[in-house]
């Protein structure tokens, strides 16, 4: 399920204020613990990172030697 940046912000805001209940649009989720809320934040961050098409930069190595 793709997540939005707004959902991540709402989760982080709830964590910062100590709330365990988060509302996204018309849905409300109440987490059992702060650790469960942190896990949800990690999941959303992971998903958002995977949604971006970021690839590692290509490395080209050039080796030269002086002729003998």
């Amino acid at each position: 399920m793709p997540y939005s940046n707004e959902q991540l912000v709402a989760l982080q805001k709830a964590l910062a204020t100590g709330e365990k209940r988060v509302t996204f649009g018309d849905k409300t989720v109440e987490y059992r613990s702060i650790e469960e809320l942190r896990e949800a934040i990690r999941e959303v961050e992971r998903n958002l990172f995977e949604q971006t098409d970021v690839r590692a930069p290509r490395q080209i190595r050039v080796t030269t030697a002086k002729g003998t």
Side-chain angles (χ1 to χ4, degrees), residues 1-67:
M1 171 180 155
Y3 296 102
S4 69
N5 212 22
E6 291 78 23
Q7 289 172 318
L8 177 60
V9 170
L11 288 167
Q12 291 171 332
K13 190 175 185 180
L15 180 63
T17 59
E19 291 289 324
K20 293 186 208 172
R21 184 177 293 180
V22 182
T23 302
F24 306 111
D26 62 341
K27 297 190 182 204
T28 301
V29 177
E30 186 164 353
Y31 294 94
R32 290 177 280 188
S33 66
I34 295 297
E35 185 54 42
E36 189 176 0
L37 178 59
R38 286 185 179 140
E39 181 58 37
I41 290 171
R42 285 191 291 270
E43 172 65 27
V44 171
E45 287 174 335
R46 230 183 342 261
N47 188 275
L48 287 174
F49 179 76
E50 290 171 359
Q51 286 178 24
T52 60
D53 194 22
V54 177
R55 296 184 181 147
R58 181 180 288 178
Q59 294 182 357
I60 300 174
R61 296 183 183 177
V62 179
T63 312
T64 60
K66 193 173 189 179

